[in-house]
Amino acid sequence: MSSSIDNKYVIFKLNKEYYGIPIDMVISIERMQKSTRIPNAPKYVKGVINLRGEVVSLIDLRQKLGMELTEVNNNSRIIVVSHDDIFAGLIVDSSSEVMEIHNDSIDNAPNTNENDNLSYIHGIGKTDDRLIILLELSKILEH
Amino acid sequence: MDLDISQYLNIFVEEAKEHLQSMNEVLLELEKNPSHLGHINEIFRVAHTIKGMSGTMGFHNMANLTHEMENVLQAARNNEIELSEGVIDILFECFDALDSSVNKIVEEGSEITESNETLIKKLSMLLSKEIISKEDIIEKMDMLEIDNYVLDSISKAVREGLNVFQIDFYLSETCMLKSARAFIIFSTLETFGEVAYSNPPVEDIEDERFEYNFSVILVSDTEKSILVKELNNISEIQSINVSNFDVSNFNIINSDDFLEINETNLHEDSILPNADHTDKSEKTNQGNAGKIGKTVRVDIDRLDNLMNLVSELIIIKTRMDDLSDNSSGENMTEAIEYLERITTNLHDAVMKVRMVPIERVFNRFPRLVRDLSKELGKEIDLQMSGEETEVDRTVIDEIGDPLIHLIRNSIDHGIEMPNDRLKVGKSEKGTVTLKSYPDGNNVVIEVEDDGKGIDYNLVRKKAIDKGIIDEKEAENLSIEDCIDLLFAAGFSTADKVSDVSGRGVGLDVVRSKIESINGNIEIESVKDKGTKFIIRIPLTLAIIQALLVRLNEEIYAIPLSSITEITNISDEQIRDVQGQDIFLYRGKTLPIIRLKDVLDIDYNEKSEDLVVVVVKKGEKQAGIIVDNLIGQQEIVIKGIGKYLSSVKYLSGATILGNGSISLIVDVNSLI
């Protein structure tokens, strides 16, 4: 099982924290590019981009997760994910690596009723030196 | 075994559908003309083919049913039973059962589990009524067909003291390989003696051209009891009747003159219909060859892939167009023109591959109309034209249901009962006309009836009853508004809900379905003269001509098919009528839509001269204000993805020459 992709996560940074998405849901990681604004769409939808002939929606993950907004810079990346026929690009501060996190080193998400944004979290992965917030993609891709 | 079969399942389904379709068509023809031998033969042939196919695939219920159909048709072919209305109804039921069986196979990969016992019983009932007379005929034929040569050899055998038996075999009806069974019988018989004569002839038996029974005359030195015992060992035989053959009896009838007359009779009888049949089949063969031609089944995904590649090519062409504007060089321009020609041709070619004749949808309607007219007690003549008109495969899949609905509507609401028709001086028989023809980049489909037309007063009254409008509004309600009401959800003018229609879930669904494929629907109706629904759908959904417009820095595309005109007006010409901006255009007042408001775009500066794109949706028009026009362009339509599917006023996106995305404005939702 250790060699399966089940336990591998794409790790990226938002603010100062590290986040992870299961690698089998990630199509590719792209540099920032010019997007087309979608009128009347939710605020966190930054528009659509042309990804090799496909139209892909861009989601500003900071905004979606209720964080303070920053300008995109050279380190910003688009992580293109696919889940349940939905293709979307998530804008993140920077993307670092692919990491293996075993199920037994994943803790459940902190459980309090005060914070809505916690429902986006699938669990907390613990590695040697840091904590990785593992995202629940199906929730992120809900409106 | 299962694996082996599954790879043929698609082929089976495709072919079975084709065969069932032709069975349906011929059945309808047959109903009009029950004695037409060609039709009976055709259905027989189809039933036989389906039997073979489904047998091979292990769909035994289908095989059994078609087998039983064959029996009935065979009897009809031999004039043993008459194809009355009842019989044809049963044949239709069989068709339905087969049809649903195939659909079940499509969905679940296995056929319907309950066997079609009641139907099979019905079919065999038809036969059993006639079975006695059938035997009579066979016996008579026995006597007539034995020629002098055979009689001679039989008499000779009798003189030599050999036994001559007439043996009648009835194979059991579940016997699948009749000719093989018969072969076993014959080889058994030949161990006992010589088969002097067989009815039908041995060649026919080998080719399985016989019912379940056949008779032979056997010359043998074996005792009857031994023979019977031996023959009884053969399985799948329902009954064997062994009798001594009386040559003397035969001789008396069989004077030469008599024989000759009968022979000519026989020849006329048998040859004429045969000739007729071959003629017919030749004709249909030729017809088919002309119409269908050689075909290759192609997975729609592969076509889509090809289509995408062509789309890419068109995009890169547009991009090069842009480039050539900036750089000067004759060679470049020439090369681009060449590329343009190729891409256009390639596009056309790929589109054509995706095109299928609308016949595919139309051909299920005769049956629908037949059933409905029976159910409602109305006589209906369905006239169809333009079945050969071709539309995109994706359109075909979408257009069927709306059309069924409109036809039901016409028959149920539109066409009056025969008596009522006579009263208003129309013929008893109502007519529904289904017409299709290409019109520019669109295909037009018309559903017309000669019924009572729409009673607009009734529509107004219903609208008041339902509380949609009050009486005052009703008085001012124009005909167009009434038609709009008809398309509103939950609206029905039918006094009572019937099986057929009247639930009021109809026309709104029809309209939204048609609009979902970028089409539109209009109604023309004259009281007591009839109603006509006119549907306009684009030939293709993938690549369209569009007008690119600029709003600040953003570029949007408006489908050319919904644009009627482009005009300039000054700001002063716009009047504010109770919050709605309108302007006068060619004697009509058109509402103004400021695209910047709709699409949430800031106004940089107020300009005095406005560019107005006049768009239409059915009869309605509106003026869309844009900053300026970029030009007309062929665009490839891309979906904006499931994630954003609920966003308003957009129907898709396209990729421009420079690789950026431009959004397509959904005119239908704007008006």
Side-chain angles (χ1 to χ4, degrees), chain B residues 350-504:
Chain B
V350 177
M351 282 317 302
K352 283 217 178 76
V353 177
R354 295 173 53 96
M355 298 292 244
V356 279
I358 204 156
E359 195 180 1
R360 281 229 195 163
V361 182
F362 276 19
N363 55 23
R364 51 176 142 150
F365 295 143
R367 175 68 196 280
L368 176 80
V369 171
R370 170 196 178 269
D371 288 356
L372 277 180
S373 59
K374 278 201 166 186
E375 190 181 322
L376 298 169
K378 295 176 180 179
E379 265 189 79
I380 312 273
D381 184 23
L382 175 69
Q383 294 187 343
M384 300 197 291
S385 65
E387 296 102 316
E388 70 287 345
T389 312
E390 290 190 324
V391 289
D392 193 272
R393 174 68 202 255
T394 39
V395 173
I396 286 278
D397 294 340
E398 298 297 321
I399 197 69
D401 288 345
L403 282 181
I404 287 180
H405 195 94
L406 291 180
I407 291 173
R408 281 166 171 267
N409 230 12
S410 286
I411 294 175
D412 196 25
H413 297 321
I415 288 176
E416 314 90 331
M417 295 303 287
N419 281 339
D420 299 335
R421 288 182 67 87
L422 284 177
K423 270 182 221 155
V424 292
K426 293 180 187 173
S427 73
E428 257 180 311
K429 204 174 202 177
T431 308
V432 174
T433 315
L434 197 57
K435 205 187 327 178
S436 171
Y437 55 90
D439 177 27
N441 270 333
N442 291 310
V443 171
V444 181
I445 304 171
E446 294 177 3
V447 181
E448 189 176 8
D449 65 67
D450 64 347
K452 57 178 177 254
I454 295 171
D455 184 346
Y456 294 112
N457 286 328
L458 187 65
V459 175
R460 290 188 184 107
K461 198 170 151 286
K462 281 275 168 185
I464 298 168
D465 288 352
K466 286 186 189 257
I468 301 171
I469 50 172
D470 60 34
E471 274 179 53
K472 214 171 197 173
E473 283 175 300
E475 267 174 46
N476 297 323
L477 210 59
S478 68
I479 286 179
E480 281 109 69
D481 292 336
C482 282
I483 287 175
D484 251 6
L485 271 179
L486 286 175
F487 281 118
F491 196 88
S492 172
T493 55
D495 289 330
K496 57 173 194 278
V497 172
S498 72
D499 264 357
V500 182
S501 51
R503 288 190 192 86

Side-chain angles (χ1 to χ4, degrees), chain B residues 315 318-319 548 555 633 635 654-662:
Chain B
I315 290 168
T318 324
R319 187 168 181 172
L548 298 185
I555 296 172
Q633 201 177 87
I635 61 165
T654 187
I655 296 170
L656 298 178
N658 63 8
S660 68
I661 293 176
S662 158

Side-chain angles (χ1 to χ4, degrees), chain B residues 1-12 57:
Chain B
M1 192 67 184
D2 276 355
L3 257 179
D4 268 344
I5 277 181
S6 66
Q7 61 175 328
Y8 300 115
L9 200 61
N10 280 335
I11 303 173
F12 169 79
M57 297 293 293

Side-chain angles (χ1 to χ4, degrees), chain A residues 34 36-42 44-45 47-57 59 64 84-88 140-143, chain B residues 308 312 554-556 597-601 638-650 653-655 658-663:
Chain A
K34 203 173 149 269
T36 302
R37 185 187 67 100
I38 299 282
N40 304 318
Y44 51 82
V45 175
V48 287
I49 54 165
N50 168 16
L51 190 70
R52 293 175 285 277
E54 291 296 322
V55 177
V56 174
S57 343
I59 298 172
K64 180 80 185 174
D84 202 13
D85 286 346
I86 292 178
F87 285 87
I140 303 271
L141 296 181
E142 269 174 15
H143 283 300
Chain B
N308 279 341
E312 295 292 294
E554 296 179 13
I555 296 172
Y556 287 85
D597 286 344
V598 174
L599 300 177
D600 202 13
I601 300 171
K638 305 255 181 193
I640 43 178
K642 198 172 157 190
Y643 185 67
L644 293 173
S645 56
S646 56
V647 171
K648 281 190 293 183
Y649 309 126
L650 299 177
T654 187
I655 296 170
N658 63 8
S660 68
I661 293 176
S662 158
L663 301 172

Side-chain angles (χ1 to χ4, degrees), chain B residues 16-28:
Chain B
K17 277 186 176 167
E18 268 171 32
H19 286 303
L20 282 175
Q21 187 49 52
S22 69
M23 181 187 277
N24 188 15
E25 279 163 21
V26 185
L27 269 174
L28 286 163

Side-chain angles (χ1 to χ4, degrees), chain B residues 243-299:
Chain B
S243 56
N244 289 315
F245 185 77
D246 199 339
V247 186
S248 54
N249 234 349
F250 209 83
N251 267 336
I252 300 164
I253 319 164
N254 200 10
S255 77
D256 279 357
D257 287 351
F258 191 75
L259 185 74
E260 233 166 85
I261 292 164
N262 275 302
E263 264 188 348
T264 40
N265 269 349
L266 256 176
H267 276 258
E268 271 171 11
D269 272 2
S270 59
I271 285 171
L272 273 181
N274 264 346
D276 196 5
H277 173 55
T278 36
D279 258 354
K280 189 81 198 167
S281 63
E282 259 173 31
K283 255 184 226 158
T284 47
N285 276 345
Q286 281 168 359
N288 282 349
K291 211 158 75 187
I292 297 170
K294 283 184 181 162
T295 58
V296 178
R297 282 185 223 280
V298 183
D299 195 332

